[in-house]
Amino acid sequence: MNTAIVLAGNPNSGKTTLFNELTGSRQHVGNYPGVTVEKKQGICVSDSGKFNIVDLPGTYSLTAYSLEEVVARDFLVNEKPSMIVNIVDASNLERNLYLSVQFMEMGIPVTIALNMMDVAEKRGIKIDIEKLSELLNVPVVPTVARSGEGKKELLKTIASTVNGNVEPLTISYGRDMDTALDEMEEIIQSSAFLTEKYRARWTAVKYLENDSQVIESGQKENRKVALQLEKIVEKVRRHLLATLDTHPENIIADQRYGFINAVLKQNVISYFQDKNRLLLSDKIDKVVTNRFLGPIIMVAILMGLYKFTFTYSEIPVGWFESFFGWVGSVADSALPDGLLKSLVISGIIDGVGGVLGFVPLILFMFLGISFLEDSGYLARMAFMLDRVFRMFGLHGSSVMAFIVSGGIAGGCAVPGVMAARTLKSPKERLATLLTVPFMNCGAKLPVFALLVAAFFSENKATVMLLITLISWMGALLVARVLRSTIIKGESTPFVMELPPYRMPTIKGILIHTWERTWQYIKKAGTVILGVSIILWAMMTFPGLPETKVQEFENQRLSIVSGMSAQVLSEIETLEEKKLSAKALDIKESLAQINFDEAHAGLKNSIAGRIGSSLEGITKFAGFDWRTNIALVGGFAAKEVVVSTLGTAYSIGEIDSEEITSLSDRLKEAEGWGPLTAFSLIIFTIFYAPCFVTVVCIAKEAGSWKWAAFSVVFNTALAFGLSVIFYQVGSIVLI
Ligand code: BGO
């Protein structure tokens, strides 16, 4: 075997010493072509094989700022060596790994020679070599180049790994940059832009780093594509300046150090202190990620966010409700009775208005989450929860997806599913995609709020907490089952970037909050609007057959026949207490007929027939045909459960002074009680994700198979759990 190996590392890491140790007298020195940078080459013959070794100039980075850096990376790009042996100074690990990370991003196989182990030991630094190797996903061999210690082991490792496949390291550079990188990568791949020389992702990162050499080669390669990429970079640059008051280059450096920081923090190094960069961050982390204090602080912060959101959004939510109530009353008086009025009020205003009413709540929640994210705290939360998640076959990066989906309260599974993109292992990503919909998204909250207010009004907070715990436990247990059966596979080590803490800017938080809230508003104006209209139609048509309508009309006529128009008008318009006992009797009889007619119409509608046909099975979970209609509607969007229950339980309802709200109606309705209500809560937590989430799962999982799985599996699970709960509850309560 005669393999090309390059030695690379920071200046003074011991490269020359190791080079001499490996090549002995079989070496010669020249210059790299065209420049006066020294190029040392030599041959290493050993039991493990024969290697051509080139010593790269010592550099700290792979930008294009110095001649050494350009020479080093040109050599790597043009010569495509079989392996980089990266000499890392163990006594200065964090700084040295900054270069290693860049090699790993290039996708060239790397073996780390962890040199100066004697110096590290003298300074009391202990390094868990195995853990470091596992987290970086590259071989790591301890060496003392000066004495030749570790040389044999290093050669053996090189020989055994030199022709293996490597998965290039992909670091997350934050939401804004990752979105731009994905877009750029797609353009670069599809137009084969510089792809003969560089990996597409690497080119994209270099564009964001404002790398003059790559930008110049890009312009020569294809002006049009280069311009397209430059435009994206410009947009991100402006966005970052506005939101975080910084440049992409700084974020890239921070996130690379954040990655290294996260690796070292996982007990890789027992004495770790960086005097230059992360001093304040480290001090904060000592408290915030402490084994005992960390979880307490995390719960306190979450409770604070929860309280902040619900306290401050209560009043504006009320304003929104009043506004939509006012719009409804305007439509009521402006439109003549009939189908159009019913469509506008029940279909559009009630449906879309119900969802838009939650905009203030969503806005306040995202305001809090944006603050936590921009400051760097959310990354710490994921870091702490990683251990728990790993036990259930998930990953530290899944934490963020769970939180965004409503792990705290009232998120949305759509961005949650998208947040799973940061997971590098496809199996862990899939397990995350399939379990985030169990979180309590903003659409499920009104359903829980309604049922809790109606049936558990004495213990609202406790029941809400119980619902949150059930959804988390359910999600984690399902993840465990899936990861032990159909999506079996090893857990990948978790290295989430832990960038230094930053003071978020007000402008940045406001922009990030608005971006997310706008997504929610757009959903209400498109998907929810469409679904509300369809459901309204399903609950309205085909209506009652003419003979039936006539029957009800005859019943009304038989009651009012012989009565004068004035008496009739009094019965219709006067308050109940002003009516005589006989008139009140007539009024109630008429209302009962109207109710029976509307009830019969709803039961005969398309939705009613579906609901009734399911009743044979759903009765085991305590659900009647009207609840079934609401749950079928909830497949489209969970908010629809509330609005549909409202319609189903109010159509033709006899309004009395005591029964006005939906929760009062449910309390009075036949078949309803705490048992049915909690069974419905369990079903709502677990059943099929809403339509938009299902589409997103298909897109992110790359197959409709998994989207279909989430619908069928989740619904079966939800139904099974509700039936068990309802049946056991019925026996216990008897
Ligand atoms: C001098 N352990 C220790 N303790 N020292 C090492 C090791 C090791 O594992 N490896 C290398 N060194 P280079 P670059 C020196 O030269 O190979 C030492 O830039 C000195 N010189 O011996 O040159 C190595 O090629 C006088 O130290 O690094 C060298 O990457 C006094 O680290 C230095 C003390 O190694 C840099 C040291 C006249």
Side-chain angles (χ1 to χ4, degrees), residues 10-17 115-119 143-146:
N10 286 184
N12 286 322
S13 56
K15 242 160 21 67
T16 311
T17 316
N115 197 33
M116 308 260 188
M117 285 302 284
D118 55 334
V119 181
T143 59
V144 180
R146 201 145 69 174

Side-chain angles (χ1 to χ4, degrees), residues 445-493:
L445 272 188
V447 186
F448 300 148
L450 169 77
L451 298 171
V452 169
F455 298 100
F456 308 98
S457 55
E458 303 288 300
N459 308 299
K460 278 189 204 156
T462 319
V463 176
M464 281 305 287
L465 184 69
L466 187 66
I467 293 172
T468 309
L469 290 178
I470 291 175
S471 60
W472 273 85
M473 278 322 293
L476 292 177
L477 287 173
V478 167
R480 184 64 273 164
V481 172
L482 292 177
R483 294 284 281 124
S484 313
T485 52
I486 49 173
I487 32 181
K488 243 186 194 160
E490 287 291 298
S491 288
T492 56

Side-chain angles (χ1 to χ4, degrees), residues 99 105 355 365 408 518 672 685 688 707:
L99 181 66
E105 282 184 296
V355 180
M365 193 195 67
I408 303 166
W518 180 237
W672 278 90
I685 295 174

Side-chain angles (χ1 to χ4, degrees), residues 286-434:
K286 270 213 164 98
V287 181
V288 163
T289 61
N290 176 282
R291 202 173 265 257
F292 301 105
L293 275 179
I296 298 171
I297 293 173
M298 181 167 74
V299 171
I301 287 180
L302 291 186
M303 280 303 288
L305 173 70
Y306 190 86
K307 271 213 167 311
F308 163 78
T309 305
F310 283 92
T311 309
Y312 289 102
S313 66
E314 201 176 328
I315 295 172
V317 164
W319 292 339
F320 270 59
E321 271 172 11
S322 315
F323 172 73
F324 287 111
W326 173 77
V327 175
S329 63
V330 168
D332 191 25
S333 49
L335 294 169
D337 281 348
L339 274 181
L340 178 67
K341 183 174 183 168
S342 166
L343 167 69
V344 171
I345 296 177
S346 308
I348 299 173
I349 300 175
D350 284 354
V352 178
V355 180
L356 285 181
F358 281 96
V359 164
L361 192 130
I362 298 290
L363 192 129
F364 277 92
M365 193 195 67
F366 280 142
L367 195 69
I369 290 186
S370 295
F371 180 85
L372 294 181
E373 191 177 3
D374 288 4
S375 66
Y377 181 73
L378 273 198
R380 269 72 188 179
M381 250 178 82
F383 183 78
M384 281 187 283
L385 284 171
D386 171 52
R387 206 170 314 159
V388 181
F389 269 53
R390 207 114 45 97
M391 275 161 42
F392 290 93
L394 290 167
H395 195 267
S397 301
S398 318
V399 179
M400 204 63 93
F402 272 63
I403 290 171
V404 174
S405 300
I408 303 166
C412 176
V414 172
V417 164
M418 287 177 181
R421 274 184 197 174
T422 48
L423 280 118
K424 284 145 204 158
S425 144
K427 287 184 176 167
E428 283 165 341
R429 186 166 59 233
L430 194 54
T432 310
L433 287 179
L434 295 174

